[in-house]
Structure formats: structure tokens, C-alpha cells
């Protein structure tokens, strides 16, 4: 069946009526002070496809594109009303398509992440939605380039690319359960305003960031709660040149990059300040509200992201604590704008133009996979015999960098969810080592994982095999054909 016909049909029809039982849900401890309601069994409409991608964020968009382009009938489930995830809500720039060549004299500049992630940047460039790969002029021992994006155009471009590839995109649709048969997932339960349904598939990829599908399918996970939660806001009516002068007047410029902004080359597109050098009234208040001085932009008079951090007492999978954090972060955003108005010339009339619809997290559940990438693997630049792409950025740079400004490999086994035969994971949920995760969780790495996982899921579906039975030679051939770069 033509992929486009399939996506139209799957969205229009709820075929059959075989109810499966959702199993493997995270066990809820019974609280003796609570009353319990026994949910009655119910028949759900079933639809069928080859590959389900849970979560249409940073990794999920790329996974769905990769799976559909392999010819798999692909359904993407996304809780929000648009694709994009944390790449359009959390960070400041896409780290990183390049190796850290600028920090290592003599090392060759090379674009190490290509394929579908690069294609997305190219599409964004066509509509004025990115700075492109602008070279850092100061602070390049952290990243050699700054790739800032227009977050609204990213959502649109991702949506269009998914439609063109024939992906059955289900937005405003929450994955709520997994239907298990032995060590395999038979299907998932999804809920939207249309109701509840079961979606059967041959292969599954969890790209929910929180590992919702893995947890509901009974995979093992941990929740270290070792990062603050964040709501990043877009601030308008500001002047980045004046912000630069303010930082420079205190000898506080950390990172500086010029690139395409407002359609003009050679404009400031990234700035960060060194808190210790700034006036104490500014830096102390910024410290209290967890404000990061880094910003990037592709538009005049607009800071694309100003981050407010808050450390929660428990994991962000706790609903009630999240509600408190959401309120506190919004209070902090208001205080941050006040700070800009009061201290930074050119920002006297700044206002909040955009906030994330919900707080963001750098990691929540960490899923046990067949291999857990270690800190040594990352900084030593290790490559594996089942690499699915290479990566060269570390968020702890310059303190921690990948050896010689090179790359390490992400092995296929690191994406295979332990003890489940047809489930892969991609994105911030892999890698338990905090320092290794400081590398693997970054946007461009998540996108690369997405391309690998989506391709593998589609090949498994086509060959009717489990993830552990997929031939690496076949996977590598497909990835190379689709533009993925390897260094072994
Ligand atoms: C504050 C912050 C700043 C950051 N700064 C940077 C930066 O500057 N540069 C950089 O490269 N990286 C940065 N990162 C890291 C990076 O942005 C993330 O690690 C990465 O985007 C995560 O991608 P992901 O695909 O794992 O998850 P996401 O992009 O979050 O995608 C998960 C998607 O799944 C959906 N979803 C979740 N649960 C369900 C469900 N049950 N059913 C259906 N859909 C569901 C979500 O709505 C979301 O769209 C930052 C992260 C944070 C939090």
C-alpha cells in the first residue's frame, strides 16, 4: 500500500474491535489511605501498522521520517499539538553537527552528523528559520558552531516533512499503555479527544523522553532526579547589541557568535555572560531564580531562549510536584524579565513573548538498554562494531571534551531496550552515567539516535525480525544510503 494512502486510512479508520490488555504498566504502590476503582474491561478499536513511534519530539520526528522513508507504515503519537519536543522548548542551540575542531589547533573541521538531521536544518534555512552552522568567535572550546533555530518554523517544517513522508501523525494523542505478549509488544493504547484505541505494530520506538512506553511495557528504569527542571521563555523588545555592550562593559562575555539574523549576515546570534563578573545585584538575583545568561536568536529584538532552572525534590514524573514547579517557574520568568528591564540597557520594555507549554527536563526515567554508554566511551572517543552514527559534542566542555576534538560512536545495542524483543529507545532516556549523558542527551545526538532507531524499526518490521536479530550490515547499508556519516 502506498504510504500516503496508508496514513490517510489509518487516521480515518479504527478497524476491527479486538481488545488487548494493557500490561507492564509501572506498578503503583497501593496507598492504604486511598480508595481504589476497578476499571471495567472495554473493547477498543484496533488499527494496524508496521512501526509505532511514541513521542514526536527531537528524536521522534527523525525516527518517524526514517521509518516511513524505509517504506514502513508508520504512526507517530505526540501528546502536544505539534511535533518538535524539547528542541523547540528547552535549549539555546542545536549541539552539535560538528566536531570541536576550533578548540584543537590542527584538527580538521568536519560535519559529523548528517542525514535527516542535516536535512531539517537545510529545510529551515530555506524559510529563514536558522542561523545555519555559524562559527563561534568566542567560547569555542565549548562548541565550534552555533545552530540556532526559529522554534515556530521548526514545528511547521517538521510537520510538513512528516506529512510528505506519509507518516500517520497523531497529535494531541497520549500514549497510555502497552499491550504485551511475552517479551514482545503487540500494540499500544493511545488516547485523544476521539477516544481510546489500540494500535498494533511489528516494531516500536520510544521517543517520549520520559520513557513512557518502556515503563508501561515493563522495561527496567531508574529515575535519578539529578537535574533541575526548566521553562525556557522567548523575550521580545530587547536589543542584543546592547546586551553585548552590557556584558562587555563588565568583561563578562563568555560565548559570542555572529551569523544570519533577521536575514542579515554578521549579526550577533549567540551570547553568554560570566555571572561572576556581573554586578552582584544582577548575578545574585539571577542565581536565586536559576537564570542562565545564555541566549541565541535568529530575529532582531528577540531572545529565543532565556532559561529558568529549578531543582525539584523528586523526579518530574511526580504530577503534584510538577504542578508546584510549573507555578514557581512562571514566577521566576516574571522576575527574570524584571532583571533585564532594570539592568540591561535596550531591554527596558522587554516582555515575555513565548513560554514552553510545560516544563522541560534533561532526563527523567533512564531506560535499561543492552548497552549503557560510559563516560570513558565518550571522552576516549570509542567506536563500536555496531556504530549507528558518530557524535562529537560534550555539554561539559571545556572541562570534559572528546579526545582530540574527535568523535565517539553510538552503538546500535545502546538503543535496544533490554528484555523486550521489538522495542528501541532514542533520546534523553538512554545513558545512565551523568557525565556521558551530558553528551548523548543533546539535540543533535537525539536526532541521530532517532534516524538509527527509526531505520532499524522499519527494517525489523520488513524482515519480520526482532531488534536483536537485525543484521548490522543491513542497518549500516540503509543508514549510509540515507546520508549518515561514519568514522570506522
Ligand atoms: C532546559 C533544557 C535546555 C537544553 N539545552 C540544550 C541546548 O542548548 N542544546 C542542545 O543540543 N540540547 C539541549 N538540551 C537537551 C535536549 O534539548 C534534549 O535532551 C533533547 O531535545 C531531548 O530529545 P528527546 O527526543 O529525548 O525528547 P523530546 O524532544 O522532549 O521529545 C519527547 C516528545 O514526546 C512527547 N511525549 C512524552 N510523553 C508522551 C506520551 N505518553 N504520549 C505521547 N507523546 C509523549 C512529548 O510531548 C515530546 O514531544 C536541553 C534540554 C533542556 C531540558
Amino acid at each position: 500500500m502506498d504510504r500516503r494512502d496508508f496514513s490517510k486510512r489509518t487516521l480515518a479508520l479504527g478497524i476491527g474491535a479486538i481488545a488487548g490488555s494493557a500490561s507492564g504498566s509501572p506498578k503503583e504502590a497501593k496507598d492504604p489511605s486511598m480508595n481504589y476503582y476497578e476499571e471495567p474491561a472495554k473493547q477498543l478499536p484496533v488499527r494496524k501498522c508496521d512501526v509505532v513511534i511514541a513521542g514526536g519530539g527531537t528524536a521522534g520526528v527523525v525516527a518517524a521520517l526514517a521509518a516511513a522513508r524505509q517504506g514502513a507504515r508508520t504512526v507517530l503519537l505526540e501528546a502536544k499539538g505539534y511535533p518538535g519536543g524539547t528542541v523547540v522548548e528547552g535549549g539555546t542551540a542545536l549541539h552539535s553537527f560538528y566536531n570541536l575542531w576550533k578548540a584543537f589547533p590542527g584538527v580538521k573541521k568536519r560535519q559529523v552528523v548528517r542525514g535527516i538531521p542535516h536535512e531539517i536544518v537545510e529545510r529551515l534555512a530555506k524559510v529563514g528559520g536558522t542561523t545555519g552552522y555559524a562559527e563561534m568567535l568566542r567560547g569555542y572550546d565549548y562548541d565550534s558552531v552555533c545552530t540556532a533555530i526559529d522554534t515556530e518554523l521548526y514545528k511547521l517544517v517538521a510537520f510538513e516533512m512528516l506529512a510528505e513522508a506519509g507518516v500517520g501523525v497523531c497529535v494531541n494523542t497520549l500514549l497510555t499503555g502497552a499491550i504485551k505478549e511475552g517479551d514482545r509488544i503487540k500494540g499500544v493504547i493511545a488516547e485523544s479527544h476521539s477516544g481510546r484505541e489500540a494500535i498494533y505494530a511489528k516494531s516500536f520506538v520510544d521517543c517520549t523522553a520520559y520513557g513512557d512506553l518502556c515503563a508501561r511495557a515493563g522495561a527496567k528504569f531508574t529515575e535519578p532526579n539529578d537535574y533541575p527542571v526548566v521553562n525556557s521563555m522567548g523575550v521580545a523588545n530587547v536589543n542584543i547589541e546592547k546586551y553585548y555592550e552590557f556584558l562587555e562593559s563588565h568583561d563578562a562575555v563568555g560565548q559570542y557568535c555572529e551569523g544570519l539574523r533577521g536575514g542579515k549576515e554578521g549579526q550577533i546570534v549567540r551570547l553568554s555572560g560570566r555571572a561572576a563578573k556581573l554586578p552582584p545585584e544582577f548575578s545574585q538575583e539571577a542565581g536565586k531564580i536559576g537564570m542562565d545568561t545564555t541566549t541565541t536568536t535568529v530575529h532582531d529584538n528577540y531572545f529565543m531562549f532565556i532559561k529558568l532552572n529549578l531543582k525539584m525534590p523528586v523526579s518530574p514524573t511526580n504530577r503534584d510536584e510538577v504542578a508546584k514547579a510549573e507555578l514557581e517557574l512562571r514566577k521566576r520568568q516574571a522576575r527574570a524579565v524584571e532583571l533585564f528591564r532594570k539592568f540591561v540597557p535596550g531591554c527596558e520594555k522587554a516582555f515575555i513573548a513565548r513560554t514552553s507549554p510545560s516544563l522541560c527536563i534533561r532526563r527523567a526515567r533512564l531506560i535499561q538498554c543492552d548497552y549503557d554508554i560510559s563516560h570513558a566511551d565518550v571522552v576516549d572517543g570509542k567506536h563500536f562494531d555496531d556504530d549507528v552514527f558518530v557524535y562529537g559534542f560534550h555539554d561539559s566542555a571545556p572541562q570534559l571534551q572528546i579526545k582530540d576534538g574527535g568523535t565517539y560512536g553510538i552503538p546500535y545495542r545502546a538503543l535496544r531496550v533490554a528484555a523486550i524483543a521489538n522495542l528501541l529507545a532514542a533520546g534523553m532516556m538512554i545513558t545512565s552515567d551523568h557525565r556521558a549523558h551530558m553528551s548523548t542527551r543533546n539535540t543533535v545526538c537525539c536526532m541521530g539516535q532517532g534516524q538509527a532507531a527509526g531505520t532499524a524499526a522499519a527494517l525489523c518490521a520488513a524482515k519480520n525480525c526482532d531488534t536483536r536479530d537485525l543484521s548490522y550490515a543491513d542497518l549500516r547499508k540503509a543508514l549510509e544510503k540515507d546520508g549518515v556519516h561514519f568514522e570506522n
Side-chain angles (χ1 to χ4, degrees), residues 412 456 459-460 463 465-472 474-475:
Y412 174 51
L459 292 179
C460 288
K463 291 170 195 292
C465 72
D466 291 341
T467 57
R468 280 168 200 85
D469 299 325
L470 179 65
S471 135
Y472 173 67
D474 289 349
L475 176 57

Side-chain angles (χ1 to χ4, degrees), residues 2-3 5 16 32 40 44 50 63 77 109 121 154 187 201 255 286 290-291 297 345-346 415 435 447 451-452 458:
D2 177 89
R3 289 202 304 272
D5 291 350
L44 300 182
D50 296 322
L77 304 174
K109 169 181 179 179
V121 175
Y154 194 103
Q255 295 169 20
M291 189 184 96
T297 190
L415 309 179
R435 289 172 301 172
M447 293 163 108
Q451 179 158 3

Side-chain angles (χ1 to χ4, degrees), residues 49-54 75 77 175 188 199-201 203-205 213:
C49 64
D50 296 322
V51 174
V52 165
I53 311 287
V75 168
L77 304 174
L175 171 125
V188 293
I199 304 169
Y200 290 177
S203 316
F204 298 81
V205 186
L213 174 54

Side-chain angles (χ1 to χ4, degrees), residues 55 57-59 78-79 86 91-93 95 175 207-209 212 427-428 441 443:
T58 317
E78 168 51 45
T86 310
T92 45
H95 298 305
L175 171 125
C207 298
T208 61
D212 278 11
M428 69 169 85
R441 73 171 164 78
T443 48

Side-chain angles (χ1 to χ4, degrees), residues 214-293:
C214 294
R216 281 161 179 74
K220 288 200 172 133
F221 59 83
T222 54
E223 293 186 65
N225 189 32
D226 53 354
Y227 276 105
V229 291
V230 181
N231 194 317
S232 297
M233 59 177 175
V235 183
N237 246 355
V238 288
N239 184 320
I240 203 162
E241 280 73 26
K242 291 273 168 60
Y243 185 34
Y244 169 68
E245 282 168 22
F246 167 72
L247 295 176
E248 191 70 316
S249 67
H250 296 282
D251 186 27
V253 177
Q255 295 169 20
Y256 178 92
C257 183
E258 289 178 2
L260 189 65
R261 192 190 80 208
K264 251 176 89 183
E265 286 287 359
Q267 308 300 303
I268 303 174
V269 292
R270 183 180 178 97
L271 264 186
S272 79
R274 291 181 289 167
K277 297 267 185 174
L278 288 168
E281 304 91 309
F282 183 94
S283 54
Q284 279 165 13
E285 173 67 356
K288 274 188 212 154
I289 59 175
M291 189 184 96
D292 192 325
T293 55

Side-chain angles (χ1 to χ4, degrees), residues 54-61 77-80 82-96 142 170 173-176 207-213 216 228-232 270 305 307-309 358-363 391 393 395 426-429 437 440-447 449:
T58 317
V61 163
L77 304 174
E78 168 51 45
K80 300 197 183 96
Y82 52 84
T86 310
V87 75
V88 296
E89 282 151 20
T92 45
L94 309 190
H95 298 305
S96 180
Y142 171 69
C170 306
T173 303
L174 191 67
L175 171 125
T176 57
C207 298
T208 61
Y210 285 71
D212 278 11
L213 174 54
R216 281 161 179 74
V229 291
V230 181
N231 194 317
S232 297
R270 183 180 178 97
F305 283 116
K307 279 181 269 188
L308 285 309
N309 293 278
S358 52
L359 58 76
C360 304
I361 178 71
R362 289 182 176 87
R363 60 182 189 170
Y391 190 58
F393 173 78
D395 212 1
M428 69 169 85
M429 72 186 82
H437 185 266
T440 64
R441 73 171 164 78
N442 287 281
T443 48
V444 182
C445 191
C446 292
M447 293 163 108
Q449 293 169 41

